């Protein structure tokens, strides 16, 4: 099974973190899945992912409760909390919910933390397929700096691979299509956890079920790009991304660092899109229940940069509250076509407040995203030769649908503050 075939183009989906933190419920997952099936599936959106701590019965926000009892089966594997996910009753886990998401024509994802539950290690509970116990394989000095649920797994120990195999065997039985593994791509305390990435990739292969492997948090070190591409499908190039202009501005440097890396099955990930209604029970990112703090132009900038760079597009807001504007950001067929089919994205020009990214598609079209990162409107007269485009006779701005104003090979436009003009020539 070639893991790259699981995500030949960058995944599009929804994740519960930006709106519900660790506290999402089954009803909320089902409701967002229904919205996606009705309004977004025809545009290529497909993944519905339950983010962190679905095994914590009393999770209530994005602030974790330390050292609390977690729901676990007899083999040291975390299970959905039935008070939040009623269909998980009688040991069914996420299978009924995954079946429902699949019945809508969508795909089902879950978030897990790297490692083995600390409570399993302390109790020396069994692991399926080995005589080793959770205590035998736990690495008590390998901890997550911001969450107390897990110890790392010591890859040198007998039973370590068997534990990960048992996890992904369970996820395959449930029908999981995407697994977002956290505390693994980058760490404030340690380096990238390469041995555990390798064990997880092997476990997915042994499960017999194709699953997209997504690694968090960032910033993942670019010097490990080859290792990430060999074992995973997407990996975060940033820490948690929120609706603040300085974080968006910073993404231009991050995308430049990773340009040339995105290719079939291997997608550097700019993190979720904090759009629409967010912060409902997630207090991260410096805000409570709110609509995104990004201006409309900043929202277009984010969508344009993520799309031309070909980051996965994972929406963070409560889908059912989308207004027409927010829905329009997710259903622009020309922008989505660029995201799906383009190649060769690169930063072609950076001058004062102007940043230009270009890409191509197989039909001979060229794309150019022209960003104004300054604090006042930016009129430009740009000779397209400067960004290696010549012989251009016509073009369209993809968000507005208006024709490009061309005089010979010179493009004239005014880019709004923190805004973008995204062209196909």
């Amino acid at each position: 099974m070639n893991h790259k075939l699981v995500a030949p183009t960058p995944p599009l989906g929804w994740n519960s973190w930006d709106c519900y933190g660790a506290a999402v419920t089954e009803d909320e997952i089902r409701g967002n899945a229904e919205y996606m099936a009705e309004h977004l599936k025809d545009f290529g959106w497909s993944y519905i992912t339950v983010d962190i701590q679905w095994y914590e019965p009393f999770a209530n926000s994005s602030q974790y409760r330390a050292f609390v009892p977690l729901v676990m089966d007899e083999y040291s594997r975390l299970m959905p909390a039935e008070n939040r996910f009623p269909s998980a009753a009688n040991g069914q886990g996420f299978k009924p919910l995954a079946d429902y998401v699949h019945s809508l024509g969508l795909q089902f994802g879950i978030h897990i933390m790297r490692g083995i539950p600390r409570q399993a290690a302390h109790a020396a509970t069994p692991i399926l397929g080995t005589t080793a116990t959770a205590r035998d394989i736990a690495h008590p000095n390998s901890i997550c700096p911001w969450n107390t649920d897990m110890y790392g797994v010591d890859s040198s120990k007998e039973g370590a691979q068997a534990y990960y195999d048992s996890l992904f065997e369970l996820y395959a039985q449930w029908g999981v299509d995407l697994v977002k593994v956290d505390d693994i791509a980058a760490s404030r305390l340690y380096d990238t956890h390469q041995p555990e990435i390798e064990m997880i990739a092997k476990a997915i292969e042994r499960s017999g079920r194709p699953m997209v492997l997504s690694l968090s948090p960032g910033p993942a070190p670019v010097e490990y790009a080859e290792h990430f591409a060999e074992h995973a499908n997407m990996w975060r190039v940033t820490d948690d991304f929120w609706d603040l202009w300085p974080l968006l501005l910073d993404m231009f440097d991050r995308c430049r660092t990773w340009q040339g890396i995105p290719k079939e099955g291997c997608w550097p990930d700019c993190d979720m899109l904090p759009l629409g209604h967010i912060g409902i029970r997630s207090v991260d990112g410096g805000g409570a229940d709110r609509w995104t703090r990004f201006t409309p132009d900043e929202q277009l900038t984010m969508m344009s940069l993520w799309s031309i760079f070909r980051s996965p597009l994972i929406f963070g807001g409560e889908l059912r509250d989308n207004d027409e504007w927010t829905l329009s950001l997710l259903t622009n067929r020309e922008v989505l076509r660029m995201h799906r089919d383009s190649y060769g994205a690169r930063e072609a020009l950076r001058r004062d407040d102007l940043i230009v990214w270009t890409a191509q598609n197989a039909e001979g079209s060229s794309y150019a995203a022209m960003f104004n990162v300054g604090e006042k409107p930016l009129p430009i007269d740009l000779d397209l030769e400067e960004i290696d485009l010549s012989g251009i006779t016509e073009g369209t701005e993809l968000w507005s649908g208006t024709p490009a104003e061309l005089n010979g090979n010179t493009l004239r436009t005014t880019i709004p503050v923190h805004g973008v003009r995204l062209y196909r020539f």
Side-chain angles (χ1 to χ4, degrees):
M1 181 167 70
N2 182 347
H3 81 281
K4 292 177 183 172
L5 301 179
V6 185
T9 56
L12 285 79
W14 174 87
N15 175 295
S16 58
W17 174 255
D18 282 3
C19 42
Y20 296 113
V24 74
T25 65
E26 178 164 353
D27 280 350
E28 288 157 348
I29 296 293
R30 287 174 179 255
N32 278 276
E34 288 156 8
Y35 179 98
M36 181 177 285
E38 185 178 344
H39 299 283
L40 295 172
K41 183 174 73 171
D42 289 347
F43 294 86
W45 296 82
S46 66
Y47 289 94
I48 293 286
T49 299
V50 183
D51 209 81
I52 196 166
Q53 279 200 326
W54 35 265
Y55 42 78
E56 210 279 67
F58 304 109
N60 55 28
S61 78
S62 52
Q63 304 293 301
Y64 311 110
R65 302 183 323 127
F67 305 109
V68 293
L70 309 172
V71 181
M72 191 173 80
D73 75 0
E74 68 271 31
Y75 294 116
S76 312
R77 301 178 295 191
L78 295 168
M79 300 292 284
E82 293 174 22
N83 62 320
R84 292 170 51 202
F85 299 93
S87 71
N90 306 316
Q92 292 189 92
F94 272 133
K95 185 168 185 354
L97 183 53
D99 285 349
Y100 181 68
V101 170
H102 293 151
S103 78
L104 298 171
L106 303 173
Q107 292 165 290
F108 181 70
I110 60 172
H111 172 294
I112 65 171
M113 295 295 293
R114 169 185 72 90
I116 192 158
R118 293 188 190 187
Q119 68 189 39
H122 297 162
T125 48
I127 295 168
L128 190 63
T130 175
T131 56
T133 70
R135 186 177 297 173
D136 296 327
I137 70 165
H139 196 328
N141 288 331
S142 180
I143 60 170
C144 173
W146 40 265
N147 177 283
T148 60
D149 295 344
M150 314 295 264
Y151 290 131
V153 169
D154 185 339
S155 64
S156 69
K157 294 293 174 67
E158 182 70 34
Q161 184 66 51
Y163 165 70
Y164 274 122
D165 288 352
S166 76
L167 272 192
F168 284 85
E169 183 185 331
L170 180 66
Y171 302 158
Q173 290 165 9
W174 288 349
V176 171
D177 303 298
L178 177 150
V179 182
K180 174 183 173 181
V181 187
D182 214 334
D183 187 41
I184 198 163
S187 169
R188 292 172 202 164
L189 296 178
Y190 320 95
D191 201 355
T192 300
H193 294 281
Q194 293 190 34
E196 285 188 85
I197 293 173
E198 290 162 23
M199 285 193 288
I200 288 166
K202 187 180 285 186
I204 291 175
E205 186 148 334
R206 288 179 174 179
S207 80
R209 181 178 180 84
M211 297 181 210
V212 171
L213 178 55
S214 166
L215 305 178
S216 283
V222 72
E223 58 267 28
Y224 299 149
E226 220 167 282
H227 186 271
F228 293 128
E230 189 181 340
H231 297 98
N233 302 105
M234 46 192 277
W235 54 90
R236 286 258 300 275
V237 301
T238 175
D239 204 344
D240 283 9
F241 179 82
W242 285 103
D243 47 333
L244 297 165
W245 170 249
L247 297 180
L248 180 50
L249 182 59
D250 179 55
M251 291 308 293
F252 286 95
D253 290 342
R254 294 182 188 276
C255 290
R256 179 169 61 178
T257 297
W258 285 91
Q259 69 185 17
I261 305 289
K263 59 178 186 290
E264 186 179 12
C266 309
W267 308 111
D269 177 10
C270 295
D271 198 20
M272 288 188 292
L273 302 161
L275 292 170
H277 185 191
I278 58 176
I280 297 166
R281 291 197 292 280
S282 186
V283 297
D284 268 26
D289 191 336
R290 65 190 182 279
W291 280 74
T292 184
R293 292 172 293 203
F294 282 140
T295 66
D297 282 311
E298 289 166 350
Q299 294 174 53
L300 291 172
T301 285
M302 177 175 63
M303 288 299 298
S304 301
L305 180 61
W306 270 232
S307 296
I308 199 166
F309 176 72
R310 302 187 80 200
S311 167
L313 298 178
I314 309 295
F315 188 84
E318 169 50 76
L319 285 170
R320 293 168 293 181
D321 293 340
N322 278 355
D323 55 10
E324 275 184 43
W325 163 258
T326 306
L327 181 59
S328 77
L329 296 172
L330 310 181
T331 54
N332 183 309
R333 290 197 188 275
E334 284 297 325
V335 176
L336 290 169
R337 182 173 155 211
M338 175 185 74
H339 177 254
R340 186 182 63 243
D341 297 335
S342 64
Y343 65 89
R346 67 184 187 94
E347 184 185 280
L349 180 67
R350 187 181 286 220
R351 185 169 63 218
D352 302 325
D353 292 332
L354 176 66
I355 299 177
V356 181
W357 275 71
T358 58
Q360 282 74 48
N361 73 17
E363 294 159 19
S365 294
S366 297
Y367 296 100
M370 305 182 183
F371 301 97
N372 172 14
V373 297
E375 301 305 318
K376 52 182 189 289
L378 182 64
I380 59 167
D381 280 286
L382 183 67
D383 183 345
L384 295 177
E385 299 247 343
E386 273 199 77
I387 54 172
D388 294 327
L389 298 181
S390 55
I392 301 296
T393 54
E394 59 178 349
T396 305
E397 204 286 317
L398 297 184
W399 290 112
S400 62
T402 55
E405 191 181 329
L406 291 163
N407 181 10
N409 214 48
T410 298
L411 174 81
R412 169 169 288 180
T413 189
T414 298
I415 312 171
V417 175
H418 297 179
V420 63
R421 294 287 183 253
L422 175 61
Y423 295 97
R424 183 172 54 111
F425 295 115

